[in-house]
Amino acid sequence: MNDIIIKIENIKKVYDSRTALDIPYIEFKSGMIYALIGPNGAGKTTLLKLINMLEKPTEGSIYFYDQRIDQSPSLDIRRQMNLVMQNAVLFRTNVYNNVAYGLKLRGYNRNIIHSKVLSALEMVGLAGFEHRKAKQLSAGESQRVAIARAIVLEPKLLLLDEPTANVDRKNIHIIEAILRKINSENGTTIIFTTHDLSQAYRLTDKIIMLLDGKIIPKNLENIFDTFLGEISLG
């Protein structure tokens, strides 16, 4: 199989008259961890939504393992990727039912659902939380449940929008360890957005820098690093 899981060619996304994204070419290789970094409005979340087929590009093409997905993606391809948003909304029920929801929709039997849910919760360090109500969870625990709800479906590609933005330092380190584990044990390709440059460097195989909807070329990395460093210190 082609080791390029996502390929993007001549993508533009325009909202009204504003160009939110303009990328001539980019590819993501299977089994790697990528960080998309840049200031607010850089196009990071827009790129995730285009890859996840939540929105269509104004121009250009997106391929998943050489199958074009930007116009009429099949259900099978949709099921091979999952997106966890920054403020993931959990259902007003217990942790078990939150994680089991997607499996039930796909028609798995009760025993398989039970096994997969427990395995996913163990993966995110929440074994024993099955009966805990979602409203009783901390922000970090809620984010980990959202990740469990995504990985229980065994996607080939996991997309995360600012996965540690609203959690405490302890849960930041836990979530980073979870992402490494998902990548190493499941072979899942991970693409996530972050404002934390140090997190991007310690967690990823490759960093992609965005500014005003465009990818920053390599020779501007030092300028961009300095810019983000000033944001972190501010």
Side-chain angles (χ1 to χ4, degrees):
M1 180 179 287
N2 190 337
D3 69 347
I4 299 174
I5 188 168
I6 291 289
K7 181 172 64 176
I8 291 172
E9 296 179 338
N10 299 313
I11 280 294
K12 285 189 178 181
K13 181 62 178 178
V14 179
Y15 296 104
D16 297 324
S17 59
R18 182 181 69 87
T19 301
L21 210 61
D22 184 0
I23 299 177
Y25 183 85
I26 188 172
E27 63 184 39
F28 298 88
K29 293 186 177 180
S30 180
M32 294 178 64
I33 301 179
Y34 293 85
L36 306 177
I37 67 170
N40 290 334
K44 305 185 301 298
T45 302
T46 299
L47 180 55
L48 289 188
K49 289 181 177 179
L50 292 180
I51 292 172
N52 195 233
M53 298 165 284
L54 293 178
E55 296 185 12
K56 292 183 179 181
T58 306
E59 299 177 13
S61 307
I62 304 174
Y63 298 87
F64 179 82
Y65 286 129
D66 289 330
Q67 297 181 67
R68 189 169 176 179
I69 63 172
D70 53 274
Q71 296 300 322
S72 301
S74 68
L75 179 59
D76 176 64
I77 290 177
R78 286 185 180 277
R79 287 181 168 181
Q80 294 185 62
M81 60 180 77
N82 220 321
L83 170 62
V84 179
M85 296 301 292
Q86 179 177 337
N87 296 305
V89 177
L90 300 183
F91 304 124
R92 291 175 176 265
T93 181
N94 62 28
V95 167
Y96 185 96
N97 288 334
N98 267 279
V99 179
Y101 180 75
L103 296 171
K104 292 177 180 177
L105 287 181
R106 297 187 184 188
Y108 286 92
N109 72 49
R110 184 177 301 178
N111 290 336
I112 292 177
I113 289 174
H114 186 72
S115 175
K116 287 181 176 293
V117 169
L118 295 188
S119 178
L121 288 175
E122 183 175 358
M123 176 74 78
V124 300
L126 293 177
F129 275 61
E130 301 94 282
H131 303 296
R132 189 80 64 88
K133 297 294 185 182
K135 66 181 179 181
Q136 298 174 336
L137 302 174
S138 69
E141 290 166 348
S142 295
Q143 190 71 349
R144 287 152 66 188
V145 171
I147 293 172
R149 189 168 61 185
I151 65 171
V152 75
L153 300 172
E154 300 178 0
K156 287 185 169 62
L157 175 61
L158 179 62
L159 308 163
L160 305 104
D161 189 25
E162 296 281 354
T164 62
N166 299 315
V167 304
D168 57 47
R169 186 167 298 277
K170 176 184 176 182
N171 273 287
I172 288 175
H173 294 304
I174 291 173
I175 290 171
E176 288 179 359
I178 290 168
L179 296 183
R180 291 191 194 95
K181 189 175 183 181
I182 293 168
N183 174 255
S184 63
E185 294 189 10
N186 297 352
T188 307
T189 307
I190 296 174
I191 306 172
F192 71 97
T193 68
T194 183
H195 283 88
D196 186 340
L197 187 59
S198 62
Q199 178 182 72
Y201 275 119
R202 65 177 174 262
L203 187 58
T204 67
D205 297 299
K206 185 173 181 179
I207 296 171
I208 296 167
M209 303 181 182
L210 290 169
L211 186 64
D212 295 330
K214 298 181 179 181
I215 294 177
I216 300 298
K218 290 291 184 180
N219 60 355
L220 293 181
E221 280 189 6
N222 290 337
I223 297 174
F224 199 85
D225 290 357
T226 302
F227 173 69
L228 285 182
E230 290 174 356
I231 292 176
S232 300
L233 293 173

